[in-house]
Amino acid sequence: MRIAGIEGGKRLRITLAALVLIALFAYLGTWQLHRLAWKLALIERVERQLAQRPVEAPGRSRWMHVDRRFEYLPVTATGRFEHRAETFVQAMTVKGSGYWVLTPLVTESGHAVLVNRGFVDPARKDVATRSTGQPHGTVTVVGLLRLSEPAGRLWQSNNAAEGRWYSRDVAAIGRFQNLDDAVLAPYFIDANDTPNPGGWPVGGLTTVRFRNTHLVYALTWYALAGMTGIYAWIAMRKR
């Protein structure tokens, strides 16, 4: 009787442990399916937006409504560049490592928007090496609306005091360049591939790619749930 009781207790523990693991793995698989549906909807929305004709970039009255739905929306903005306030953000592109050149564009309506004019390699960081690419007067920028990238990137934080920028943090760059928050748009614009005089900066290098491995993860979690059930059944039969 005592042996039977011990065996019964072990069976119960195996069963409970298996049920907990199966429930956990099944939950994770279902969560990945929900993420898959979200990712597919995101890709469809972005592809639909990329196919649209450019519209005027949101003005101050619409800034509070700018959210993820606006990401990668083709936009235009007209104004004058404030080249004195260029900010260089480290970048890795198909052209190698270098910097994004972010320059405030003061629009005709009086507000400013940061424009990622494009990529320069380290040899062209000095404006003297690309002076022909610094347009003066009124210009019209066409590009993609992008949301601010606060804080920095993984393991690397922005350090304005030392001039190290790893992400395009609009608010932080605005403060560093003494731009009034009240007139600086909360987003920035990635300029398109229209060539700049002299060839620098190089625009149009925005990468629109979304990693989508949710289905693989979902199948993996469901497989683990099934394998756990099989192993638990085999273990109890042996006992």
Side-chain angles (χ1 to χ4, degrees), residues 31-157:
W31 179 74
Q32 286 293 343
L33 289 180
H34 287 301
R35 294 287 294 174
L36 173 63
W38 168 82
K39 183 62 69 65
L40 292 176
L42 171 65
I43 294 172
E44 181 184 0
R45 176 176 59 78
V46 170
E47 289 179 345
R48 188 169 58 248
Q49 287 192 160
L50 290 172
Q52 294 180 14
R53 295 177 61 86
V55 298
E56 186 176 355
R60 274 184 280 187
S61 63
R62 300 175 60 199
W63 287 352
M64 67 178 65
H65 303 297
V66 175
D67 55 23
R68 290 290 176 190
R69 295 171 298 174
F70 286 75
E71 185 97 61
Y72 300 108
L73 177 70
V75 296
T76 65
T78 300
R80 292 173 174 265
F81 281 121
E82 289 285 349
H83 294 294
R84 63 165 185 80
E86 277 188 346
T87 302
F88 300 94
V89 180
Q90 290 195 10
M92 180 63 70
T93 72
V94 294
K95 293 186 173 293
S97 61
Y99 304 91
W100 298 123
V101 180
L102 267 67
T103 308
L105 179 77
V106 180
T107 68
E108 295 175 327
S109 60
H111 71 268
V113 58
L114 286 182
V115 176
N116 176 13
R117 299 188 60 222
F119 170 83
V120 294
D121 59 33
R124 305 253 186 349
K125 186 178 181 182
D126 187 343
V127 68
T129 64
R130 50 182 175 84
S131 57
T132 56
Q134 303 291 90
H136 298 280
T138 302
V139 297
T140 296
V141 173
V142 181
L144 300 177
L145 187 150
R146 302 294 307 280
L147 300 184
S148 180
E149 301 166 345
R153 63 189 184 201
L154 188 62
W155 311 120
Q156 293 175 307
S157 299

